[in-house]
Amino acid sequence: MQRRDFLGASAGALAGLGLLGIGREASAAAVSVANPLGVSGGRTPVTTLNTRTLGFRMNNGVKEYHLVAEPVEQEVAPGMTALFWGYNGSSPGPTIEAIEGDRVRIFVTNKLPEHTTIHWHGILLPAGMDGVGGLTQPQIKPGETYVYEFTLGKSGTFMYHPHADEMVQMAQGMMGMFIVHPKNPAERRVDRDYAFMLASYKIDPGTRRPDPSEMLDFNLWTFNSRTFPAIAPLVARTGERVRIRVANLTMTNHPVHVHGVDFRVTGTDGGWVPEAGQWPEVTTDVAVGQIRVIEFVAKAPGDWALHCHKSHHTMGPMGHGVPNMLGVDQAAATAKIEALLPGQHYMEMGSNGMADMQDMAAMAAMMPLPPNTLPMMTGEGPFGPIEMGGMFTLLKVRDAQKPGDYSDPGWYEHPPGTVARPADSKAFSGIPT
Amino acid sequence: MTRTIPLYGGMAAAMLLLAGLAPAAAPPLEPVPALWLGQAPLRASELASMPLDADRVARIAILNAPALRPALREHGISPAQLAVLPLWQQTAAVDIGRDVLGLAQAPQGRTVLAQAVLDSVREARLAWLQLALASQTLQVCEQQARAADAALTLMEAQVQAGNAAEEKRLPLRQAARAAARERLHCAAALAKAQRRLASVLDLPDATTLRTAPLPALPASLPQADLPQWLAASPTGRQLQQQQAIEAAALLPRAASRSLRLPLTGALDPEGMPAVSAAQLELGLQQAGLRAQLADDWAALELAFQEYRSLSEQLPDAQSYTRVMLTHYNGMLGSVYELIDARAAEFALQRELLEKQAAFWEHAYTLEARLGAPVIINKEVRHAAP
Ligand SMILES: [Cu+2]
């Protein structure tokens, strides 16, 4: 699929979601990713969430790629767009996929207002191809195109990102994944191969551009520069072997947790982990500038949460840094504040917790929110609000999902009697508490 | 006439004390003969029972201001005669210089009367402006106190719930107390302005005075014309007339000798060109009047510009409150920031009221000097009593 077509389809899906907005039907199920560009030889192509694989051409045995560093306007989730810097029309840029032993030639055109470079994180290559501006090469000035050329000596999971204007360019979203498949298609074969990057941004309410001066206090925690429910789900057929490659270019570590499976860390950006070095996990911490590759067999059908386990990272920007009203009787103050704001709708919040915030978006007409800002929690599931946003998506495992079918199967239909339900008081009386 | 004449200030009270008489036991004293006052106090009371504005206050001042009475008497005018003039039936605003004084045709020597009327009207209007300002300011002041109280109430509830401690509560308690004190000051300023206006207009009961809001400012200012104003003002005309008399009395004469230094050695009044000491004194007075008019106009212009700037700022402050409300709604901002934003609006409203009053103070001062309104307040249109 061409980039333009992909963007069109993707934009359509997101627009559909936007129209549904905060309505009952809005759900993660509305976002889907088409089967990405195939890689030859029976290898399973990588599916980069909400993003595509970069095309290439063969030139006398060399695979030629073209990356364009440029400003990008992109939806973070329905209700919010951001002005990023990225590559080839998106942030992160398209994933580069190649095969162990390939000779690659990568043209890099700079359409940014300032110079840049590209560093090929984790790839072993001649020093002059390492992409550190000032150290291993001159900066690529605006309007210039540089060419990088090297041979991929080993398979694995890598990244690309600038090593220029360090503070600004990654904070603006400049990053992408670089996947090298093993030469032997049978080696470390999986049925589904997913990838995404952890990225965090500081985009103040009502603004659109990430603030590059921020070092710690971010308010957008994203997979591939999207937040739930705009993050595509990962789908698998029951019994399939699934790989997820997670790369972290934020300023903090993220304990990535997957429900419904136990997994092993099978690789890092340093290479594959031998089987003897693997152990079972349900959460793995991905430190800054690290990649963790996890693999599991999707044994149980269902809609399983996949999220960062830092609870603030599964939230939107709202609800942080405000006075603690939990347990506060606000009645007297509310009457006085209402009198101060005639003609406005003032509602006391937070006395019983923040779950009320889930309704805020629905009441937006009466209680307006700042423009271009995501609510604290946005996800809507089959049983009601999911109460998470940010670094959260779903692993959807289905018995009937066809191999190679990446379409969203919708909400899981639970077999009768397998969903937690309200209990009869007689049923639990007498049990020690 | 059955109306009781009010007692006039300290002098009357002192006289009562000196006489050793209890007021209830004595027949009411009449420091000013009721026949000379006539219906004027009654007319004044009727006018004062309606919301006061610049025009009503001017009418009351002419009819009833004690400060004007000596000048009226001097010119053979009594309030009793004034009170029955058909002029007071006029619904349009009274132009004092034109309708009452007839300055354009005023005969020579009536400047003292004209200026006394204009000054009394100015004093009454300035006292009324203070009343209107104080009464509108008190409302904003009360809002400010309510804002501080709302913040404190919420903080007390947070402390009660174990979510906030003294370092948050105490500053808000201080702010609430300060706002309550400020409210006391605003209420006292209103009472003082009522007493002052009642005294200036010789009205019996200060507390019943009601006022229209401060008048709106004009959209733009007229062009200042200092030479014309100088020529038309009662004082300016008087100076010119006196200058003409002085000039006529003087025989023009050129210098008959040249000066030698040092100056202290020269003393030969016959050797210099002719000038009278009165001419020089008139010249000084004219320059002084001109400078005064220029200062008045500059102050009016400044108040106008400051008012404009503040009134353009107010919508921004109101928008800011709405933005803070959206932040509050999204739990992106604290409710205390929301209250602070509203309190900032109130502070701005008070500044705006002060500039509005200052503008009219300068406008009425200029009117008193020129004998004609510089700024026409189009709002005044009401039926006379
Ligand atoms: Cu995290």
Side-chain angles (χ1 to χ4, degrees):
Chain A
M1 189 186 252
Q2 293 299 300
R3 170 180 162 223
R4 189 167 290 117
D5 296 337
F6 173 85
L7 288 177
S10 167
L14 291 174
L17 192 69
L19 277 177
L20 292 169
I22 37 72
R24 307 300 299 175
E25 286 81 13
S27 77
V31 182
S32 63
V33 168
N35 191 356
L37 191 79
V39 288
S40 60
R43 297 175 183 86
T44 301
V46 168
T47 301
T48 312
L49 302 184
N50 300 78
T51 306
R52 66 193 173 108
T53 286
L54 184 61
F56 61 88
R57 78 174 175 201
M58 293 303 298
N59 185 357
N60 286 326
V62 178
K63 276 183 178 162
E64 291 186 327
Y65 300 84
H66 189 187
L67 285 174
V68 180
E70 61 188 0
V72 170
E73 183 170 3
Q74 185 174 291
E75 189 174 53
V76 175
M80 179 178 185
T81 61
L83 300 172
F84 293 116
W85 286 0
Y87 297 96
N88 301 46
S90 68
S91 165
T95 297
I96 295 175
E97 279 184 78
I99 295 165
E100 181 185 357
D102 276 351
R103 179 80 177 164
V104 295
R105 185 178 296 134
I106 308 172
F107 295 90
V108 177
T109 297
N110 182 4
K111 289 190 177 173
L112 297 172
E114 68 167 1
H115 66 227
T116 190
T117 64
I118 297 196
H119 165 62
W120 314 97
H121 176 113
I123 296 175
L124 303 180
L125 35 61
M129 293 292 158
D130 201 38
V132 181
L135 177 67
T136 67
Q137 67 166 87
Q139 304 283 2
I140 309 171
K141 294 189 185 67
E144 286 186 339
T145 298
Y146 269 47
V147 61
Y148 295 85
E149 187 166 335
F150 43 88
T151 300
L152 302 171
K154 65 173 189 182
S155 65
T157 311
F158 311 106
M159 300 185 260
Y160 64 87
H161 62 77
H163 252 308
D165 196 359
E166 211 65 29
M167 192 180 88
V168 169
Q169 296 193 0
M170 277 182 276
Q172 298 303 299
M174 296 190 73
M175 56 188 76
M177 298 204 71
F178 196 137
I179 311 285
V180 182
H181 295 269
K183 194 165 195 68
N184 174 4
E187 187 184 321
R188 295 186 176 264
R189 219 197 146 274
V190 291
D191 301 304
R192 309 261 175 175
D193 195 340
Y194 289 100
F196 61 86
M197 305 196 76
L198 305 170
S200 63
Y201 301 100
K202 163 88 161 170
I203 304 182
D204 282 328
T207 72
R208 294 200 294 158
R209 196 183 300 280
D211 179 355
S213 68
E214 186 53 59
M215 190 167 83
L216 295 171
D217 187 18
F218 299 93
N219 60 7
L220 275 178
W221 303 98
T222 75
F223 293 170
N224 282 352
S225 301
R226 274 86 172 178
T227 65
F228 185 72
I231 302 169
L234 294 74
V235 295
R237 177 186 173 86
T238 312
E240 281 184 333
R241 185 165 182 84
V242 179
R243 173 183 295 145
I244 307 175
R245 310 177 194 239
V246 186
N248 181 3
L249 279 184
T250 71
M251 302 275 200
T252 188
N253 61 314
H254 300 277
V256 172
H257 176 53
V258 192
H259 295 207
V261 300
D262 48 43
F263 60 73
R264 284 159 192 258
V265 175
T266 60
T268 74
D269 28 355
W272 297 106
V273 179
E275 196 161 348
Q278 300 171 6
W279 64 88
E281 282 283 16
V282 293
T283 301
T284 190
D285 198 27
V286 189
V288 182
Q290 272 191 346
I291 297 173
R292 287 292 174 266
V293 179
I294 65 171
E295 288 176 29
F296 53 86
V297 173
K299 289 183 188 139
D303 292 333
W304 304 106
L306 187 167
H307 60 94
C308 173
H309 219 296
K310 288 184 174 173
S311 54
H312 281 235
H313 292 186
T314 53
M315 291 286 146
M318 298 190 185
H320 298 110
V322 291
N324 183 0
M325 293 296 166
L326 196 58
V328 176
D329 179 357
Q330 298 184 58
T334 298
K336 293 177 180 181
I337 297 168
E338 280 173 338
L340 281 181
L341 301 165
Q344 311 270 11
H345 201 92
Y346 173 83
M347 189 178 86
E348 64 176 61
M349 287 184 278
S351 286
N352 303 320
M354 291 196 190
D356 292 346
M357 291 299 294
Q358 188 60 56
D359 301 326
M360 281 300 305
M363 293 192 293
M366 199 163 62
M367 301 180 60
L369 297 171
N372 203 46
T373 297
L374 297 173
M376 185 180 180
M377 323 168 203
T378 52
E380 189 74 18
F383 298 101
I386 295 176
E387 303 189 342
M388 281 185 273
M391 291 175 159
F392 179 94
T393 189
L394 296 170
L395 169 66
K396 297 190 164 197
V397 181
R398 299 287 187 277
D399 295 340
Q401 193 80 7
K402 291 198 169 58
D405 177 7
Y406 286 81
S407 63
D408 189 327
W411 295 118
Y412 179 62
E413 284 175 29
H414 300 267
T418 65
V419 176
R421 61 200 178 276
D424 189 316
S425 63
K426 285 198 278 296
F428 59 87
S429 68
I431 303 175
T433 55
Chain B
M1 176 171 162
T2 55
R3 187 175 170 278
T4 310
I5 301 303
L7 297 173
Y8 294 103
M11 176 72 103
M15 284 166 69
L16 276 175
L17 286 174
L18 283 175
L21 297 169
L29 285 176
E30 291 184 353
V32 182
L35 283 174
W36 189 72
L37 291 173
Q39 296 289 311
L42 183 62
R43 288 267 164 278
S45 287
E46 284 168 356
L47 281 165
S49 69
M50 290 176 285
L52 295 171
D53 57 30
D55 183 60
R56 284 211 175 100
V57 161
R59 295 180 192 211
I60 301 171
I62 294 169
L63 287 169
N64 214 43
L68 182 58
R69 289 172 188 160
L72 293 179
R73 183 196 158 276
E74 194 85 354
H75 292 80
I77 302 166
S78 72
Q81 295 162 298
L82 280 174
V84 295
L85 290 175
L87 170 77
W88 311 120
Q89 306 303 321
Q90 180 177 315
T91 52
V94 173
D95 181 332
I96 312 294
R98 185 194 61 201
D99 305 339
V100 179
L101 300 173
L103 284 178
Q105 305 87 36
Q108 223 177 310
R110 289 303 173 96
T111 311
V112 172
L113 174 67
Q115 201 57 61
V117 170
L118 291 168
D119 287 347
S120 279
V121 166
R122 169 179 175 270
E123 193 187 6
R125 280 176 171 172
L126 263 44
W128 163 72
L129 279 177
Q130 285 309 310
L131 175 63
L133 173 64
S135 109
Q136 283 175 266
T137 298
L138 177 61
Q139 291 175 25
V140 186
C141 229
E142 279 166 350
Q143 292 272 63
Q144 289 179 301
R146 280 189 211 116
D149 178 53
L152 177 62
T153 306
L154 186 57
M155 183 56 73
E156 299 279 12
Q158 272 196 283
V159 171
Q160 184 70 25
N163 299 12
E166 290 302 297
E167 93 278 5
K168 293 266 176 63
R169 181 198 349 221
L170 291 174
L172 289 189
R173 199 144 72 185
Q174 293 190 44
R177 289 218 170 98
R181 270 198 307 281
E182 178 62 16
R183 199 207 151 278
L184 286 179
H185 275 280
C186 290
L190 174 60
K192 187 178 175 183
Q194 284 170 325
R195 290 196 305 272
R196 163 103 182 115
L197 184 60
S199 149
V200 165
L201 298 178
D202 196 15
L203 297 167
D205 189 0
T207 56
T208 58
L209 295 182
R210 290 174 301 139
T211 171
L214 292 167
L217 266 59
S220 61
L221 288 184
Q223 208 59 40
D225 188 351
L226 279 177
Q228 203 280 326
W229 289 351
L230 200 58
S233 76
T235 311
R237 276 160 37 122
Q238 190 189 27
L239 289 173
Q240 281 171 344
Q241 286 160 0
Q242 290 171 348
Q243 280 164 349
I245 295 166
E246 286 296 323
L250 204 72
L251 210 61
R253 187 184 69 211
S256 62
R257 73 166 179 89
S258 50
L259 271 181
R260 281 217 191 88
L261 292 175
L263 286 179
T264 47
L267 185 61
D268 179 11
E270 300 307 313
M272 68 174 181
V275 67
S276 74
Q279 275 181 311
L280 298 181
E281 178 53 33
L282 289 170
L284 264 179
Q285 286 181 26
Q286 197 171 34
L289 179 61
R290 190 190 172 92
Q292 191 58 257
L293 291 174
D295 280 354
D296 289 341
W297 179 253
L300 179 138
E301 262 188 327
L302 179 62
F304 181 78
Q305 286 156 355
E306 286 184 307
Y307 179 86
R308 276 268 276 262
S309 163
L310 284 166
S311 58
E312 283 161 9
Q313 197 178 327
L314 189 60
D316 284 349
Q318 289 161 338
S319 296
Y320 186 69
T321 303
R322 283 193 292 277
V323 168
M324 284 298 105
L325 182 59
T326 68
H327 280 231
Y328 169 78
N329 286 344
M331 289 190 124
L332 291 157
S334 140
V335 59
Y336 298 105
E337 289 171 318
L338 172 62
I339 295 171
D340 285 349
R342 187 76 171 126
E345 266 186 63
F346 297 145
L348 201 56
Q349 282 173 9
R350 280 184 67 172
E351 270 191 82
L352 201 55
L353 288 172
E354 274 158 28
K355 292 301 166 201
Q356 195 174 358
F359 174 85
W360 287 109
E361 183 183 326
H362 299 304
Y364 297 142
T365 298
L366 259 178
E367 179 173 342
R369 290 197 209 287
L370 304 185
V374 180
I375 308 294
I376 306 292
N377 174 14
K378 296 198 180 72
E379 286 171 22
V380 177
R381 245 338 150 251
H382 49 70

